[in-house]
Amino acid sequence: MTTTPSVLFVCVHNAGRSQMAAGFLSHLAGDAIEVRSAGSAPADSINPAAVEAMAEEGIDITAQTPKILTTDAVAASDVVITMGCGDTCPIFPGKSYRDWVLDDPAGQGVDAVRPIRDEIKTRVEALIAELTSTPAAH
C-alpha cells in the first residue's frame, strides 16, 4: 500500500499565491496528492484578482478561505512550500522544505497576477511529476 503524499503551501496572507498553488495541485493531481494551504497572517478573503486569474484556467477557488498556519498542518505534510513568509514556518525533521520565490499578487490587477499564476502552474506540474512515481493516466 502506498501513502498519499501531502503538500502544504504557505504564504503570508493565504489569499493569492498559496491559494492558486493549492487550486492547481487539487485540479491537476486529483486525489493523488493531499493539498493544504495556510498563511502566517491570513487575510480576510481570497484575492479577487487571483480568483479571476484561476477562473481563466477553469479552476474555481471562490469557496476557499484564508487559514492560519498551524504546527499541526506542517506536521501532517510531507512537503512544505513557502512563498515569501520567511522564517515563520515551523521546522520539523523529515519534512521537505522548499521556498518558491514569487511576486506577491496582493493589490495587483489580474494582468499582473497572470504571470504569477502561470509560474505557479509550471512549478506545480513539476511537483506533481516529482511526487507521483507513475505518470497520471490520461
Side-chain angles (χ1 to χ4, degrees), residues 1-41:
M1 179 173 151
T2 60
T3 58
T4 303
S6 59
V7 175
L8 170 64
F9 294 104
V10 183
C11 67
V12 176
H13 300 298
N14 191 219
R17 293 167 290 187
S18 56
Q19 291 287 356
M20 289 190 287
F24 274 126
L25 187 54
S26 295
H27 181 77
L28 297 172
D31 294 334
I33 299 173
E34 188 179 1
V35 182
R36 296 179 183 85
S37 71
S40 53

Side-chain angles (χ1 to χ4, degrees), residues 47-126:
N47 179 332
V51 170
E52 184 178 343
M54 291 301 286
E56 293 173 356
E57 292 284 311
I59 301 171
D60 181 3
I61 61 171
T62 56
Q64 299 302 314
T65 55
K67 294 168 281 301
I68 187 71
L69 176 64
T70 64
T71 54
D72 290 346
V74 177
S77 302
D78 299 312
V79 178
V80 179
I81 297 174
T82 57
M83 303 171 181
C85 64
D87 298 329
T88 59
C89 190
I91 304 294
F92 287 90
K95 306 292 176 193
S96 174
Y97 290 89
R98 295 127 192 239
D99 186 44
W100 287 2
V101 179
L102 298 160
D103 290 335
D104 188 347
Q108 303 288 326
V110 71
D111 289 340
V113 173
R114 283 186 191 110
I116 301 168
R117 173 204 64 200
D118 294 344
E119 175 65 22
I120 290 170
K121 182 178 182 182
T122 299
R123 292 179 188 215
V124 166
E125 288 170 339

